[in-house]
């Protein structure tokens, strides 16, 4: 008796069935009536606005963090999401490998600290709300200053330059007397606003107003980025990411649009830094380690580079995973001390089984599908 074996290209595995299921869900979403998608979107937004309320999250089972204030964790998660959305412009849309993105975050935070803190040598003591646009503008200028001499580089060389930029910011923060080193800046003012009884909206103990503020800004930033990516600018970014030489031959001013991507991403990072400084009330050099840049880049890749929803999911999951281990012990060992070990293992597994990320854009998913077929045929 003879046994027939299907050729490799016809062999269907569980992974193939899972991919087909995800594709079917995606197709149903894109072909669903417009009002259905709007209802689901509003429901998701309402869920995240309600999430930091104890009356709501106490019924969510294991989601709340037992070893940390859940509302504080959600604020941290929202900052990471905002940073991931900004870095996704640079890495995901324009295809520029940036290892020093957290340096722009530091520029935004230090701008707020220098112009508002009583411990600053400048002594301007400006209100937080007035300084935020200045922080965004200075961060954009720093992005243009970094990009102008370096964006003619590509790949690993550009990554090394951006890595050097982040280290320059960190070293300046540590050693500069003007930036106060580890002593830092204290008494940074909070965002304005107060209740009818005179209590401030943005106080020290309750992180919920800060989370709601960042969540609102994330929605506005996502709308702006989405409109930008569907414009001529976004199409230029995608053409540069796919083949910069071909884009240049077709008349796309690649340097100008790469500089635009750098400045746009830097502006979002500066906004996140300003929000962080206003919440923490204190900024010093220990807040801006190089590891944070690597984590944000990993979050974008983990969620799906080139997809706004993927960047949001990746930034949120990565920040939440790191904080989830706080306060958990196993055999007398504090798991939080090994959080980056677990994080690294998750990334390794992810890159092996789903290198395109959790929610990749359609073009990138198609590229990986074609490569899979080539590997199967080669076998």
């Amino acid at each position: 008796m003879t046994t027939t074996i299907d050729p490799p290209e016809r062999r269907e595995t569980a992974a193939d069935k899972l991919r087909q299921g995800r594709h079917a869900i995606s197709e149903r979403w894109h072909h669903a009536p417009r009002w259905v998608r709007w209802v689901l979107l509003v429901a998701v937004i309402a869920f995240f606005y309600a999430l930091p309320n104890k009356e709501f999250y106490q019924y969510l089972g294991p989601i709340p963090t037992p070893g940390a204030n859940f509302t504080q964790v959600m604020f941290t998660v929202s900052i990471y999401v905002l940073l991931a959305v900004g870095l996704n412009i640079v890495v995901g849309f324009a295809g520029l490998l940036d290892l020093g993105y957290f340096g722009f975050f530091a520029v935004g935070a230090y701008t707020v600290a220098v112009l508002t803190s009583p411990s600053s040598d400048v002594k301007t003591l400006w209100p937080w709300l007035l300084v935020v646009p200045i922080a965004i503008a200075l961060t954009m200028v720093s992005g243009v200053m970094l990009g102008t001499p370096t964006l003619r580089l590509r790949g690993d060389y550009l990554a090394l330059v951006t890595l050097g930029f982040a280290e320059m910011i960190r070293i300046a923060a540590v050693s500069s007397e003007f930036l106060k080193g580890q002593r830092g800046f204290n008494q940074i003012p909070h965002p304005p606003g107060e209740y009818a009884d005179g209590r401030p909206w943005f106080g020290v103990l309750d992180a919920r107003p800060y989370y709601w503020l960042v969540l609102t800004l994330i929605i506005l930033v996502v709308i702006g980025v989405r409109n930008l990516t569907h414009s001529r600018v976004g199409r230029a970014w995608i053409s540069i990411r796919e083949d910069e030489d071909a884009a240049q031959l077709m008349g796309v001013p690649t340097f100008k649009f790469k500089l635009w991507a750098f400045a746009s991403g830097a502006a979002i990072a500066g906004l996140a830094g300003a929000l962080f400084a206003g919440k923490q009330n204190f900024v010093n050099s220990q807040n801006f380690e190089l590891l944070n840049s690597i984590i944000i880049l990993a979050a974008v890749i983990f969620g799906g580079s080139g997809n706004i929803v993927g960047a949001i999911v990746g930034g949120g999951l990565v920040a939440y995973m790191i904080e989830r281990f706080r306060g958990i012990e196993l055999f007398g060992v504090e798991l939080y001390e090994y959080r980056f070990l677990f994080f690294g293992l998750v990334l390794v597994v992810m890159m092996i089984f789903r290198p395109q990320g959790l929610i990749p854009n359609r073009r990138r998913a198609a590229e990986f599908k074609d490569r899979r077929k080539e590997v199967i045929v080669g076998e």
Side-chain angles (χ1 to χ4, degrees):
M1 183 171 62
T2 60
T3 303
T4 60
I5 300 176
D6 292 335
E9 62 269 22
R10 293 184 183 177
R11 200 177 299 148
E12 189 175 38
T13 64
D16 294 327
K17 293 179 180 178
L18 184 60
R19 280 192 292 269
Q20 291 172 6
R22 283 195 295 260
H23 179 71
I25 293 172
S26 176
E27 288 299 318
R28 289 176 183 173
W29 168 257
H30 287 289
H31 289 89
R34 190 180 183 87
W35 68 269
V36 172
R37 285 185 285 174
W38 274 107
V39 167
L40 290 175
L41 182 61
V42 170
V44 170
I45 293 174
F47 171 84
F48 282 104
Y49 269 105
L51 191 56
N53 293 307
K54 187 175 181 180
E55 297 81 8
F56 181 75
Y57 70 71
Q58 65 181 348
Y59 299 107
L60 297 180
I63 291 180
T65 49
N69 186 312
F70 186 62
T71 56
Q72 177 61 46
V73 170
M74 291 309 301
F75 170 77
T76 303
V77 168
S78 64
I79 290 292
Y80 272 74
V81 167
L82 188 57
L83 287 169
V85 171
L87 183 58
N88 189 49
I89 295 175
V90 181
V91 176
F93 293 128
L96 307 172
L97 185 55
D98 188 352
L99 295 180
Y101 187 68
F102 216 73
F104 298 120
F105 177 83
V107 171
Y110 269 113
T111 301
V112 171
V114 167
L115 295 178
T116 63
S117 173
S119 57
S120 170
D121 295 337
V122 178
K123 304 295 184 184
T124 51
L125 302 181
W126 289 350
W128 179 86
L129 192 60
L130 177 64
V131 176
V132 170
I134 299 174
I136 295 172
L138 286 180
T139 312
M140 287 186 70
V141 170
S142 67
V144 171
M145 291 176 62
L146 174 65
T148 299
T150 62
L151 282 178
R152 302 188 190 279
L153 302 173
R154 302 184 188 180
D156 300 339
Y157 302 102
L158 178 61
L160 288 175
V161 169
T162 56
L163 182 65
F165 166 73
E167 277 298 283
M168 287 170 56
I169 296 294
R170 187 189 66 83
I171 292 171
V174 170
S175 58
S176 171
E177 182 62 30
F178 180 72
L179 297 180
K180 306 298 181 183
Q182 293 190 2
R183 289 179 295 144
F185 298 90
N186 56 16
Q187 299 182 42
I188 298 172
H190 297 296
E194 60 182 26
Y195 295 103
D197 59 0
R199 291 183 297 113
W201 288 347
F202 300 92
V204 177
L205 300 178
D206 190 3
R208 289 179 302 173
Y210 299 98
Y211 167 78
W212 289 325
L213 174 62
V214 179
L215 182 58
T216 303
L217 291 173
I218 288 172
I219 294 171
L220 296 176
V221 167
V222 165
I223 292 172
V225 171
R226 186 179 181 278
N227 291 336
L228 198 59
T229 53
H230 284 76
S231 69
R232 184 172 64 94
V233 176
R235 291 191 292 272
W237 287 342
I238 293 172
S239 66
I240 292 169
R241 182 191 68 193
E242 297 301 320
D243 193 327
E244 184 174 345
D245 292 329
Q248 197 161 13
L249 288 172
M250 293 299 292
V252 177
T254 56
F255 179 77
K256 181 181 80 171
F257 284 111
K258 288 196 295 184
L259 200 61
W260 197 326
F262 237 59
S264 301
I268 296 174
L271 172 62
L275 293 165
F276 174 81
K279 162 67 175 66
Q280 296 299 105
N281 196 229
F282 175 77
V283 168
N284 73 349
S285 58
Q286 291 183 335
N287 298 131
F288 310 106
E289 298 293 333
L290 176 63
L291 178 62
N292 294 311
S293 289
I294 307 302
I295 291 174
I296 299 299
L297 179 60
V300 173
I301 297 172
F302 182 80
S305 179
N307 189 333
I308 297 176
V309 177
I312 292 172
V313 172
L317 284 180
V318 165
Y320 177 77
M321 275 194 300
I322 293 173
E323 291 295 329
R324 190 64 182 80
F325 290 104
R326 192 186 296 272
I328 300 178
E329 291 189 5
L330 183 64
F331 303 115
V333 177
E334 180 70 34
L335 294 184
Y336 186 73
E337 299 295 326
Y338 299 93
R339 62 193 184 280
F340 292 117
L341 172 63
F342 295 114
F343 175 56
L345 289 174
V346 170
L347 285 181
V348 170
V349 172
M350 186 71 185
M351 292 302 101
I352 293 173
F353 294 102
R354 193 166 175 80
Q356 67 269 39
L358 290 174
I359 312 176
N361 66 5
R362 292 185 174 186
R363 186 187 298 270
R364 189 166 177 81
E367 289 173 2
F368 277 95
K369 187 177 181 180
D370 291 340
R371 292 177 192 174
R372 249 191 326 267
K373 288 180 179 179
E374 292 173 4
V375 171
I376 291 174
V377 172
E379 293 175 349

